Amino acid sequence: MPLHFSTKAGTLVTLQESLVSARIAALLSFTVKDWQLGGQACLRDVQGQVGAGPWIVRSSCLREDSAQGSCAGAFLSVPGVDEAGLVSAVEQVIASYGEAHPADEVLIQPMLNNVVRAGVAFSHDPNTCAPYRLVNWSQGSDTASVTGGMGGRLWQQAANSKVPPPPDIAPVITLLEELLGLFDGTPVDCEFAVTREAGDDVLWLLQARQLILSAPAQSPATQAARLDSIQRKVARGMQPHPFLMGQRTVYGVMPDWNPAEIIGIRPKPLALSLYRDLVTDSIWAYQRHNYGYRNLRSFPLMPHFFGLPYIDVRLSFNSFIPADLDEGLAGRLVDYYIDRLLAEPTLHDKVEFEIVFSCYTLDLSQRLERLASAGFLEHELEAISTSLRKLTNRIVHPKDGLWRADANKLDMLSARREELLASNADPLERIYWLLEDAKRYGTLPFAGLARAGFVAVQMLRSLVTVGVFSEADYDGFMAGVSTVSGQLARDRATLDKTTFLARYGHLRPGTYDILSPRYDEAPELYFDWTQRPAVPEPAKPFSLTLPQMRAIVKQLEEHGLQPDPVGLLDFLQAGIELRELAKFHFTRNLSDALALIVEVGAQHGIGREELAYCDISVFKELHVAAVDPKDVLLRSIEQGKARYEETLKISLPPVITRPEDVWSFEWPETAPNFITQKQVTAPVAGSDDRERLAGAIVCIPNADPGFDWLFAYPIAGLITAWGGANSHMAIRAGELGLPAVIGAGEVLYRRWSTAQRLHVNCSGRWVEILS
């Protein structure tokens, strides 16, 4: 007969005689009614039933651990109680129930000694409702650190995983499996502790309750079939390829064109297909080849695993190799890059700054010492340096720099858009040409200008490394940069609503997400129009000192770089500013196309919520073919919904280093990017809590330019889950001198965004939870 969950105390009593894989400490429980009728009688034989103190007095309320909800943490437990404090502790626990029911219980157990680790474990992932075993634990004697939100390590494995978990938590996985068996497969949530006794670890079950899921649990067999398909795909991708350097690959959500930052971990099908069409299927490779790197045309950069997008890192690393570099050397370089990422996966959002040598910088010789340590010979380092110098000079040349031609294309994009929208072209034709132009005159030059932006930031950092600039100079230069986003904040303070929205109305958080309203579709959602913000103080223009000017002249001559100091600073400023301007222009085409897609859907009675599931290729087909539009759209939506249902059931690590990772992995704590040298202490707010934004550290999921509306509020700091050191929000925070943590990663972001108050120290590179 299967067991049934009851109260916290009742479930532990039921399990005491059945459980094999863990111990349950002795316990005494009584009801509130019993206590009210005679408290001393309830405690008469505590030592006889539970053993000598100290004890922990725990809640066991009827509102806890029910089939409707766990109410985890809602009621009090009092640890370390001695005999003198026992009555008071019981009264405190009962008082925490509020209006106590007579059948509510109080549970008393001995405090465990020599605790070496403790945590919580789930049989199913509450986010996906799939049978992933999740174990969140911390080392040490504090049994409440994980349940209290203090973090710890997090292991995840699929139900049928053959990959062994870490030895420390393997017994916890066994415990979960036993509990599932005892409760007839009902999803379970438990708390555990491990003590050290005579040199051996002993596992204790502290609590077991039904895990409440938002949807029916997925079967292990269905999960296994899906993960097996992903594993085979990953294994194929990790084989040598005849047209690629490098013996294997790695998949990541943040390297290079970082999908986690731009479209999210689980984008809807329309957003995913748009990003592929506009950037990652071909545009990315065309422009990189144009800038002097290896030809990777026809290689899609972003595979997806049932809708979860990843970057093929071997492809990315190949595309950063100068085209004129010897093939044998190029192959060894790609393998070195991949080995370095495997050794330090926390660098997956910093590959261009920490792993790849993609341009010439003033500190390149120091940086190349890492290659010398890895066995590269002196003449090979010289060949790499020469190729990078030649490539970089083509980009930064004061007159003929490649970025100049790309900047000119932006005017062409705007002119063609105005001409198209003024024509009598029908909506389908407009969608087609808005997106085609977005590629040719938008994302293609943007890819080039983004490359120039990366070169600019790396060159700027190298000025600090070689001692020409201080960190304060770096921050001062970034603060003097004038981006579109900076202009947005100034215009919000000076322009009327109509003029402001005519200029910026196409922006939206989640640039590729049709479900995210544009600024001009929901202006009240983003801005408080009843009051005008203060005009931001103009940034102080950065200026070189005469000694710095001389030092730069000397550096440029020594390194064979073409611009003079003024030309170099012009490039540095233009590289950073034009990258943001290009994004602003091509997203207008994209946003207008999304608005027209909504219009086409409305003609056929299909709302934007449904359209989010279709593939962008449908609209190309409707433009070129005589077909039934509604039928084609509905079929695409149906397929997209089915696929997205599968997307929602899958959880994968941010970096996949081997095929087995799709079954079992530990969630990594990433190394966030800290912007500015400032620090701030402030309350935490989400972007949707507009009333609390002023003076708050605001948490947003990604570094998307559509969140620029936040800067119309006097926020104190910024934290994003995803985003790189050179992402839009990193540039924006540097421009504003705003302390920011960009790309915290899922584990740290979850911890910090749920806190009430934080201290962020950017120069010290740490964040402290204050409450």
Side-chain angles (χ1 to χ4, degrees), residues 588-608:
R588 184 183 290 275
N589 268 46
L590 170 57
S591 192
D592 287 348
L594 287 172
L596 286 165
I597 287 172
V598 172
E599 184 181 319
V600 170
Q603 292 173 1
H604 302 287
I606 302 171
R608 69 169 73 210

Side-chain angles (χ1 to χ4, degrees), residues 63 75 93-101:
R63 283 168 282 162
F75 307 111
V93 170
I94 292 175
S96 75
Y97 298 166
E99 293 186 16
H101 189 281

Side-chain angles (χ1 to χ4, degrees), residues 32 120 213 277 315 391 425 492 559 609 625 638 644 710 746:
V32 169
V120 297
L213 300 176
D277 185 49
L315 269 178
L391 181 149
R492 173 67 189 92
H559 290 276
E609 291 77 13
E638 183 181 0
Y644 195 65
L710 285 172
E746 195 155 327

Side-chain angles (χ1 to χ4, degrees), residues 237-238 244-246 248-257 259 284 288 296 300-303 310-321 334-335 337-342 345 347-349 351-352 355-356 654-657:
M238 289 188 171
L244 289 175
M245 304 293 176
R248 54 160 304 167
T249 193
V250 173
Y251 294 101
V253 299
M254 276 303 298
D256 211 343
W257 282 93
W284 77 282
R288 209 155 281 176
L296 273 298
L301 179 65
M302 188 179 71
Y310 279 78
I311 295 300
D312 183 332
V313 178
R314 174 170 56 182
L315 269 178
S316 171
F317 286 168
N318 269 259
S319 76
F320 287 128
I321 302 290
V334 171
D335 282 331
Y337 292 157
I338 291 174
D339 288 344
R340 179 97 195 281
L341 180 58
L342 289 171
L347 298 179
H348 73 121
D349 63 341
V351 294
E352 265 202 81
I355 294 179
V356 171
V655 181
I656 300 173
T657 62

Side-chain angles (χ1 to χ4, degrees), residues 187-217:
V188 64
D189 161 9
C190 67
E191 295 179 20
F192 66 89
V194 177
T195 59
R196 185 71 47 81
E197 297 183 12
D200 294 324
D201 285 355
V202 178
L203 177 62
W204 298 83
L205 177 66
L206 306 182
Q207 180 173 347
R209 59 189 171 209
Q210 181 177 352
L211 177 63
I212 309 301
L213 300 176
S214 59

Side-chain angles (χ1 to χ4, degrees), residues 550-572:
R550 292 192 183 113
I552 292 176
V553 168
K554 184 179 178 183
Q555 288 282 343
L556 293 174
E557 288 177 353
E558 285 181 359
H559 290 276
L561 294 175
Q562 291 173 340
D564 58 23
V566 174
L568 177 65
L569 261 64
D570 280 346
F571 167 74
L572 298 182

Side-chain angles (χ1 to χ4, degrees), residues 123-317:
S123 65
H124 291 67
D125 179 0
N127 296 317
T128 63
C129 300
Y132 286 105
R133 313 309 183 220
L134 295 172
V135 184
N136 186 192
W137 81 102
S138 62
Q139 299 296 121
S141 60
D142 187 354
T143 59
S145 66
V146 170
T147 55
M150 296 303 290
R153 296 169 64 184
L154 179 61
W155 174 264
Q156 173 169 325
Q157 72 176 53
N160 292 340
S161 172
K162 301 296 190 293
V163 180
D168 283 355
I169 60 162
V172 182
I173 301 293
T174 303
L175 169 62
L176 282 173
E177 299 298 343
E178 184 182 6
L179 290 171
L180 281 169
L182 290 171
F183 289 100
D184 197 27
T186 301
V188 64
D189 161 9
C190 67
E191 295 179 20
F192 66 89
V194 177
T195 59
R196 185 71 47 81
E197 297 183 12
D200 294 324
D201 285 355
V202 178
L203 177 62
W204 298 83
L205 177 66
L206 306 182
Q207 180 173 347
R209 59 189 171 209
Q210 181 177 352
L211 177 63
I212 309 301
L213 300 176
S214 59
Q218 183 190 55
S219 77
T222 301
Q223 179 192 56
R226 201 168 285 141
L227 294 182
D228 186 59
S229 176
I230 297 174
Q231 181 182 9
R232 290 197 306 272
K233 170 69 175 170
V234 170
R236 286 197 306 273
M238 289 188 171
Q239 297 299 311
H241 190 286
F243 307 139
L244 289 175
M245 304 293 176
Q247 294 302 303
R248 54 160 304 167
T249 193
V250 173
Y251 294 101
V253 299
M254 276 303 298
D256 211 343
W257 282 93
N258 40 34
E261 177 188 340
I262 306 300
I263 54 175
I265 298 296
R266 293 184 177 85
K268 294 279 178 64
L270 180 60
L272 177 62
S273 61
L274 272 168
Y275 194 49
R276 289 179 56 194
D277 185 49
L278 291 181
V279 178
T280 66
D281 276 355
S282 59
I283 292 296
W284 77 282
Y286 273 62
Q287 191 63 309
R288 209 155 281 176
H289 185 218
N290 290 343
Y291 268 57
Y293 298 95
R294 287 184 68 84
N295 183 357
L296 273 298
R297 299 184 186 206
S298 301
F299 278 100
L301 179 65
M302 188 179 71
H304 67 86
F305 306 125
F306 286 96
L308 275 68
Y310 279 78
I311 295 300
D312 183 332
V313 178
R314 174 170 56 182
L315 269 178
S316 171
F317 286 168

Side-chain angles (χ1 to χ4, degrees), residues 36 123 308 331 345 377 451 493 495 509 513 519 534 560 584 644 697 722:
Q36 291 170 340
S123 65
L308 275 68
L377 302 176
R451 176 103 315 270
L495 298 180
D513 185 4
Y519 288 2
F584 181 80
Y644 195 65
I697 297 170
W722 304 105

